[in-house]
Amino acid sequence: MDYFLRYRRMTIPKRYAEFVALIAISCTLFLFLHTQSLTSRLREMEDRLQPPSSMSAASGLSGNSISQVSAGAGANQSQQSHDHLHHHGLIGNLHHTYNYLKSTGQMHSLKATELNNTRRAAVPIIFFNRVPKVGSQTFMELLRRLAVRNDYTFHRDVVQRLEVIRLSPERQQELAEMVMELPVPSVYVKHVCYTNFTRFGHPMPIYVNMVRDPVERIISWYYYVRAPWYYVERKQAFPDLPLPDPRWLKKDFETCVLQGDPECTYSQNAVHEGIGDHRRQTLFFCGHGEECLPFNSAGALERAKYAVESQYAVVGVLEDLNTTLSVLEQYVPRFFSGASSVYFNEVNVLQKINKNSFKPPVSEEIKDLVRRNFTKEIEFYQFCKQRLYKQYLATQLPLK
């Protein structure tokens, strides 16, 4: 025992940690290259995917809520319904939402045709302005595979050294023009704020996106940018990028929150630019204006809600993929026909895309502490869930 204690007090060479880090990075690089090979092989399997049979959506009472609501009474009625559901804590469970709508007679007023903004799109192009860390990598791979099955072309933005999501009017116009030059039908994917194509004289595309519990999302982002393979990928794309401070890499989320680290201090109405301000899920729906910048602000919340209801065909929910896929199949069939079958036939592969095995668990106490500053972001997430539920439920009613 004395020998063991003396051994524990031995001084470790200063470069030992660097040596271990070098081995870890080398192993990660090997795994990354091996994964690239596996990805190529998986894409070859696309040709062998059989057309899936129609899948019942009864496995999950959920639906994406893209209700087209005009300004005035319709919008007020929709908001009042949401507020009532939110007040009674029913949004998190579709079954409760169904019971509430049924008990109040609102189930009979649901109309799938009015909840479907796909009919308003003037061109068969999907514009997926993906929010980071909402399962969008998996969703992109699903779209890529469905492109083979459903005969459309898939396009995504190139990897950028510095991701810019809020664009000037000139760059918004350039983006809209570029997307409109794609062959039809097409899907285009990019990390960018909601862009109003009609503002620049172009037809409205089919807007889709995904959301996620906002606190789970920021935790995912926190560890995503600290994962070794993330820096391997970044170094491959941009060799001159500096390596991060090891102390920053080792910092865990719970300590970051409890010590009041600026990275984990979610100040109300704080303004930050760039994709690095990952906390603002609403920004991707609010748009490019400066009024969308303040974190957890009422103004950004209301603009984001309006965009979801009036513009987006489907806003899926990561925690409810059964419902999300069902609604996509029902509301955007040209692109998402067979989505459930393709996803679940390949679920073991698709769920591993971009999965971060380095992310440790975070206590519910810490999550609850963080949620206190995410009130508007949480309300937006719940709003999207409610809309998804209503959209799904409308498809279960007789055609009206």
Side-chain angles (χ1 to χ4, degrees), residues 58-338:
S59 58
L61 273 178
S62 302
N64 193 334
S65 148
I66 307 300
S67 135
Q68 180 203 351
V69 179
S70 59
N76 291 334
Q77 182 179 6
S78 175
Q79 183 60 45
Q80 289 169 5
S81 174
H82 171 270
D83 291 343
H84 191 101
L85 287 168
H86 181 268
H87 176 72
H88 290 280
L90 302 178
I91 293 177
N93 186 308
L94 175 75
H95 188 67
H96 290 164
T97 303
Y98 166 77
N99 287 335
Y100 169 75
L101 294 174
K102 184 178 179 180
S103 67
T104 57
Q106 295 183 54
M107 274 296 298
H108 298 293
S109 64
L110 292 180
K111 296 181 180 180
T113 53
E114 292 184 1
L115 289 167
N116 191 1
N117 282 332
T118 304
R119 62 192 174 89
R120 300 181 57 216
V123 60
I125 294 179
I126 292 277
F127 188 71
F128 175 30
N129 64 312
R130 64 185 182 119
V131 178
K133 308 314 298 172
V134 297
S136 59
Q137 289 279 5
T138 299
F139 196 71
M140 277 201 305
E141 185 61 24
L142 175 63
L143 282 167
R144 199 191 308 272
R145 295 174 184 225
L146 287 173
V148 177
R149 184 189 190 280
N150 294 334
D151 191 26
Y152 61 80
T153 58
F154 176 88
H155 312 267
R156 62 164 297 182
D157 191 23
V158 297
V159 178
Q160 300 180 30
R161 181 187 179 97
L162 178 63
E163 197 86 51
V164 179
I165 60 173
R166 201 172 69 90
L167 309 178
S168 66
E170 293 75 21
R171 290 195 62 190
Q172 292 177 56
Q173 183 170 1
E174 292 172 2
L175 173 63
E177 291 173 352
M178 183 273 293
V179 172
M180 287 300 116
E181 290 175 356
L182 297 175
V184 292
S186 284
V187 166
Y188 183 76
V189 183
K190 177 178 173 62
H191 285 308
V192 69
C193 297
Y194 162 72
T195 304
N196 187 344
F197 282 49
T198 59
R199 176 186 175 189
F200 303 102
H202 294 289
M204 175 180 172
I206 303 169
Y207 295 101
V208 299
N209 214 325
M210 296 281 293
V211 294
R212 179 182 187 178
D213 178 284
V215 173
E216 296 293 345
R217 179 176 165 268
I218 62 162
I219 295 171
S220 179
W221 176 273
Y222 183 90
Y223 286 108
Y224 170 70
V225 296
R226 287 169 167 80
W229 48 264
Y230 172 81
Y231 283 99
V232 171
E233 292 179 352
R234 296 290 291 172
K235 269 292 190 181
Q236 281 191 325
F238 310 103
D240 60 327
L241 280 178
L243 289 175
D245 187 330
R247 292 172 297 180
W248 181 83
L249 289 174
K250 295 176 183 178
K251 182 173 55 177
D252 67 272
F253 182 77
E254 295 198 1
T255 301
C256 184
V257 171
L258 292 175
Q259 292 185 350
D261 191 297
E263 184 179 5
C264 303
T265 301
Y266 308 104
S267 302
Q268 304 302 284
N269 295 307
V271 172
H272 299 280
E273 285 283 14
I275 200 171
D277 188 29
H278 51 278
R279 65 200 73 185
R280 296 171 304 171
Q281 192 165 222
T282 53
L283 180 62
F284 286 81
F285 299 87
C286 179
H288 301 270
E290 291 188 1
E291 62 274 11
C292 299
L293 288 175
F295 167 66
N296 206 50
S297 72
L301 168 66
E302 293 308 317
R303 287 177 174 85
K305 284 182 179 180
Y306 180 77
V308 168
E309 283 206 307
S310 65
Q311 302 297 311
Y312 280 81
V314 175
V315 174
V317 175
L318 177 63
E319 291 83 357
D320 196 349
L321 284 177
N322 282 352
T323 300
T324 296
L325 295 175
S326 175
V327 170
L328 285 165
E329 289 175 324
Q330 293 283 339
Y331 286 72
V332 200
R334 174 63 184 83
F335 293 87
F336 289 96
S337 175

Side-chain angles (χ1 to χ4, degrees), residues 9-56:
R9 289 194 292 268
M10 289 177 62
T11 302
I12 299 175
K14 292 182 179 180
R15 298 191 63 83
Y16 178 75
E18 297 178 4
F19 176 70
V20 172
L22 180 61
I23 292 177
I25 291 175
S26 300
C27 292
T28 303
L29 178 58
F30 170 78
L31 292 174
F32 172 75
L33 295 175
H34 182 61
T35 302
Q36 292 291 88
S37 174
L38 288 176
T39 301
S40 299
R41 291 172 57 193
L42 288 170
R43 287 178 182 170
E44 291 174 2
M45 294 173 61
E46 289 178 343
D47 294 334
R48 299 197 296 273
L49 287 175
Q50 298 299 318
S53 57
S54 176
M55 179 178 180
S56 170

